[in-house]
Amino acid sequence: LFAPTWNDIRNGKMTSTLLLPPMQPSPTPSATELIVLCGLSGAGKTVAIRALEDAGYYCIDHLPTAVLLPTLAVLQSQGVARIAIGLEMSDPEFVRSAQCHWDDLVTQGFSIRAVVLTCRADVLMRRYHETRRPHPLSKMGLSTESAIAMETRALRTLPRGIPLVDPSDMTALILTNSIQPHIEDSHPDLTIVR
Protein backbone atom coordinates (compact mmCIF):
# COMPACT_ATOMS: atom_id res chain seq x y z
CA LEU A 1 0.00 0.00 0.00
CA PHE A 2 1.11 3.54 -0.71
CA ALA A 3 1.45 5.65 2.40
CA PRO A 4 1.74 9.40 1.78
CA THR A 5 4.70 11.37 3.05
CA TRP A 6 4.20 14.77 4.67
CA ASN A 7 5.18 16.36 1.34
CA ASP A 8 2.44 14.33 -0.39
CA ILE A 9 -0.08 15.49 2.20
CA ARG A 10 1.13 19.09 1.91
CA ASN A 11 0.75 18.92 -1.88
CA GLY A 12 -2.64 17.20 -1.77
CA LYS A 13 -1.38 13.87 -3.21
CA MET A 14 -3.10 11.42 -0.88
CA THR A 15 -4.62 8.02 -1.30
CA SER A 16 -6.39 5.88 1.23
CA THR A 17 -3.92 3.94 3.33
CA LEU A 18 -3.95 2.09 6.59
CA LEU A 19 -2.05 4.44 8.87
CA LEU A 20 -3.89 2.76 11.72
CA PRO A 21 -4.64 -0.91 12.20
CA PRO A 22 -7.79 -2.26 10.57
CA MET A 23 -10.70 -3.10 12.83
CA GLN A 24 -10.28 -6.58 14.27
CA PRO A 25 -12.69 -9.06 15.82
CA SER A 26 -12.69 -9.54 19.58
CA PRO A 27 -9.24 -10.49 20.86
CA THR A 28 -8.38 -14.09 21.56
CA PRO A 29 -7.73 -14.79 25.25
CA SER A 30 -3.99 -15.26 24.66
CA ALA A 31 -3.51 -12.12 22.56
CA THR A 32 -1.70 -9.12 23.98
CA GLU A 33 -4.18 -6.26 23.82
CA LEU A 34 -2.83 -3.08 22.23
CA ILE A 35 -4.75 0.18 22.03
CA VAL A 36 -3.24 2.76 19.69
CA LEU A 37 -4.10 6.41 20.29
CA CYS A 38 -3.18 8.97 17.70
CA GLY A 39 -4.63 12.02 16.08
CA LEU A 40 -4.13 15.71 15.82
CA SER A 41 -1.37 17.22 17.91
CA GLY A 42 -2.93 19.05 20.85
CA ALA A 43 -6.23 17.14 20.67
CA GLY A 44 -5.84 15.48 24.09
CA LYS A 45 -3.93 12.27 23.50
CA THR A 46 -2.03 12.61 26.78
CA VAL A 47 -5.30 12.92 28.72
CA ALA A 48 -6.63 9.80 26.95
CA ILE A 49 -3.40 7.91 27.69
CA ARG A 50 -3.76 8.78 31.39
CA ALA A 51 -7.32 7.41 31.35
CA LEU A 52 -6.06 4.12 29.93
CA GLU A 53 -3.26 4.03 32.50
CA ASP A 54 -5.86 4.48 35.26
CA ALA A 55 -7.74 1.53 33.75
CA GLY A 56 -4.71 -0.74 34.13
CA TYR A 57 -2.98 -0.45 30.78
CA TYR A 58 0.80 -0.17 30.49
CA CYS A 59 0.99 3.18 28.69
CA ILE A 60 3.64 4.86 26.59
CA ASP A 61 3.06 8.31 25.11
CA HIS A 62 5.10 9.87 22.30
CA LEU A 63 6.67 6.55 21.32
CA PRO A 64 8.86 7.04 18.23
CA THR A 65 7.76 4.69 15.49
CA ALA A 66 11.35 3.50 14.99
CA VAL A 67 11.26 1.76 18.39
CA LEU A 68 7.62 0.63 18.30
CA LEU A 69 8.16 -3.04 17.44
CA PRO A 70 11.14 -3.69 19.75
CA THR A 71 9.42 -1.95 22.68
CA LEU A 72 6.20 -3.91 22.26
CA ALA A 73 8.13 -7.18 21.87
CA VAL A 74 9.91 -6.57 25.21
CA LEU A 75 6.64 -5.74 26.97
CA GLN A 76 4.96 -8.82 25.53
CA SER A 77 7.89 -11.05 26.56
CA GLN A 78 7.55 -9.71 30.11
CA GLY A 79 3.91 -10.80 30.17
CA VAL A 80 2.30 -7.36 29.89
CA ALA A 81 -1.17 -8.21 28.59
CA ARG A 82 -2.69 -4.72 28.13
CA ILE A 83 -0.73 -1.95 26.43
CA ALA A 84 -1.72 1.50 25.19
CA ILE A 85 0.55 3.66 23.07
CA GLY A 86 0.29 7.23 21.91
CA LEU A 87 1.71 7.79 18.44
CA GLU A 88 2.37 11.10 16.75
CA MET A 89 0.75 11.84 13.40
CA SER A 90 3.67 14.25 12.94
CA ASP A 91 6.18 11.34 12.96
CA PRO A 92 7.08 10.86 9.26
CA GLU A 93 8.10 7.23 9.89
CA PHE A 94 4.61 6.54 11.24
CA VAL A 95 3.11 7.85 8.01
CA ARG A 96 5.53 5.84 5.84
CA SER A 97 5.51 2.41 7.44
CA ALA A 98 2.43 2.06 9.64
CA GLN A 99 0.81 -0.78 7.67
CA CYS A 100 3.92 -2.96 7.93
CA HIS A 101 3.99 -2.43 11.70
CA TRP A 102 0.35 -3.45 12.18
CA ASP A 103 0.77 -6.58 10.06
CA ASP A 104 3.90 -7.57 12.01
CA LEU A 105 2.20 -7.04 15.37
CA VAL A 106 -0.85 -9.12 14.46
CA THR A 107 1.40 -12.03 13.44
CA GLN A 108 3.24 -11.66 16.79
CA GLY A 109 0.02 -12.18 18.75
CA PHE A 110 -1.24 -8.65 19.35
CA SER A 111 -4.90 -7.72 19.14
CA ILE A 112 -4.85 -4.10 17.98
CA ARG A 113 -7.54 -1.46 18.37
CA ALA A 114 -7.19 2.18 17.42
CA VAL A 115 -8.77 5.41 18.60
CA VAL A 116 -8.16 8.68 16.76
CA LEU A 117 -8.48 12.05 18.45
CA THR A 118 -9.56 14.87 16.20
CA CYS A 119 -10.37 18.46 17.14
CA ARG A 120 -11.65 21.66 15.55
CA ALA A 121 -8.92 23.90 14.17
CA ASP A 122 -10.05 26.95 16.17
CA VAL A 123 -9.79 24.98 19.42
CA LEU A 124 -6.31 23.72 18.54
CA MET A 125 -5.20 27.24 17.60
CA ARG A 126 -6.47 28.52 20.95
CA ARG A 127 -4.69 25.73 22.85
CA TYR A 128 -1.38 26.42 21.13
CA HIS A 129 -1.79 30.16 21.69
CA GLU A 130 -2.61 29.69 25.40
CA THR A 131 0.24 27.25 26.09
CA ARG A 132 2.71 29.05 23.80
CA ARG A 133 4.04 25.67 22.77
CA PRO A 134 5.11 25.14 19.15
CA HIS A 135 3.27 22.63 17.01
CA PRO A 136 5.43 19.54 16.36
CA LEU A 137 5.38 20.27 12.60
CA SER A 138 6.70 23.80 13.13
CA LYS A 139 10.19 22.32 12.75
CA MET A 140 9.29 21.92 9.05
CA GLY A 141 8.89 25.70 8.85
CA LEU A 142 5.10 25.60 9.03
CA SER A 143 2.94 28.04 10.92
CA THR A 144 0.68 26.56 13.58
CA GLU A 145 -2.33 27.07 11.32
CA SER A 146 -0.63 25.33 8.37
CA ALA A 147 0.55 22.46 10.57
CA ILE A 148 -2.96 21.87 11.92
CA ALA A 149 -4.34 21.92 8.37
CA MET A 150 -1.70 19.42 7.23
CA GLU A 151 -2.46 16.98 10.06
CA THR A 152 -6.19 17.36 9.41
CA ARG A 153 -5.62 16.41 5.76
CA ALA A 154 -3.57 13.39 6.93
CA LEU A 155 -6.56 12.19 8.98
CA ARG A 156 -8.55 11.90 5.75
CA THR A 157 -6.25 9.04 4.68
CA LEU A 158 -7.35 6.88 7.61
CA PRO A 159 -9.59 3.92 6.81
CA ARG A 160 -13.29 4.05 7.62
CA GLY A 161 -14.41 2.34 10.79
CA ILE A 162 -11.69 3.69 13.08
CA PRO A 163 -13.34 5.29 16.13
CA LEU A 164 -12.96 9.06 16.16
CA VAL A 165 -13.23 11.09 19.35
CA ASP A 166 -13.58 14.86 19.03
CA PRO A 167 -12.75 16.51 22.38
CA SER A 168 -13.19 20.06 21.04
CA ASP A 169 -15.91 20.89 23.56
CA MET A 170 -14.89 18.42 26.27
CA THR A 171 -13.26 18.90 29.61
CA ALA A 172 -10.47 16.49 30.54
CA LEU A 173 -12.95 14.46 32.62
CA ILE A 174 -15.44 14.16 29.76
CA LEU A 175 -12.63 13.10 27.38
CA THR A 176 -11.54 10.50 29.93
CA ASN A 177 -15.08 9.14 30.10
CA SER A 178 -15.42 9.12 26.31
CA ILE A 179 -12.45 6.75 26.08
CA GLN A 180 -14.17 4.26 28.40
CA PRO A 181 -16.39 2.63 25.70
CA HIS A 182 -13.26 1.69 23.73
CA ILE A 183 -11.92 -0.08 26.81
CA GLU A 184 -15.25 -1.67 27.71
CA ASP A 185 -15.54 -3.30 24.27
CA SER A 186 -12.69 -5.61 25.23
CA HIS A 187 -13.32 -5.65 29.00
CA PRO A 188 -17.08 -5.47 29.59
CA ASP A 189 -16.64 -5.93 33.34
CA LEU A 190 -14.26 -2.96 33.67
CA THR A 191 -15.54 0.24 35.23
CA ILE A 192 -13.46 3.38 35.44
CA VAL A 193 -14.17 5.07 38.75
CA ARG A 194 -13.46 8.80 39.01
Side-chain angles (χ1 to χ4, degrees), residues 19-20 33-39 41 45-46 49 58-76 83-95 97-98 101-102 105 108 110 112 136 139:
L19 294 179
L20 290 176
E33 184 182 347
L34 175 62
I35 294 182
V36 178
L37 284 170
C38 82
S41 300
K45 187 168 46 0
T46 301
I49 281 283
Y58 187 100
C59 296
I60 305 171
D61 198 3
H62 305 289
L63 182 67
T65 307
V67 297
L68 173 68
L69 295 178
T71 301
L72 293 174
V74 167
L75 292 173
Q76 187 180 43
I83 305 167
I85 56 172
L87 295 178
E88 299 294 328
M89 290 286 294
S90 57
D91 181 351
E93 179 64 20
F94 174 62
V95 175
S97 61
H101 290 325
W102 309 135
L105 288 169
Q108 293 171 23
F110 284 88
I112 310 170
K139 61 185 172 231

Side-chain angles (χ1 to χ4, degrees), residues 72-185:
L72 293 174
V74 167
L75 292 173
Q76 187 180 43
S77 72
Q78 292 178 351
V80 178
R82 298 167 65 204
I83 305 167
I85 56 172
L87 295 178
E88 299 294 328
M89 290 286 294
S90 57
D91 181 351
E93 179 64 20
F94 174 62
V95 175
R96 268 195 300 278
S97 61
Q99 181 59 45
C100 296
H101 290 325
W102 309 135
D103 292 343
D104 290 346
L105 288 169
V106 169
T107 61
Q108 293 171 23
F110 284 88
S111 172
I112 310 170
R113 298 158 42 104
V115 178
V116 176
L117 296 177
T118 185
C119 195
R120 289 193 324 264
D122 63 306
V123 173
L124 292 173
M125 286 295 293
R126 186 183 72 238
R127 289 178 184 175
Y128 279 107
H129 178 74
E130 289 172 354
T131 63
R132 298 179 186 235
R133 294 188 69 198
H135 190 284
L137 291 178
S138 65
K139 61 185 172 231
M140 293 175 60
L142 298 174
S143 67
T144 301
E145 187 174 9
S146 297
I148 290 168
M150 182 183 269
E151 282 191 337
T152 302
R153 284 193 301 274
L155 284 181
R156 293 185 191 133
T157 66
L158 299 176
R160 294 180 192 261
I162 301 286
L164 296 175
V165 177
D166 183 349
S168 296
D169 299 316
M170 296 180 189
T171 63
L173 179 60
I174 294 171
L175 173 56
T176 297
N177 290 335
S178 71
I179 296 300
Q180 186 170 359
H182 303 290
I183 301 167
E184 288 173 341
D185 286 347

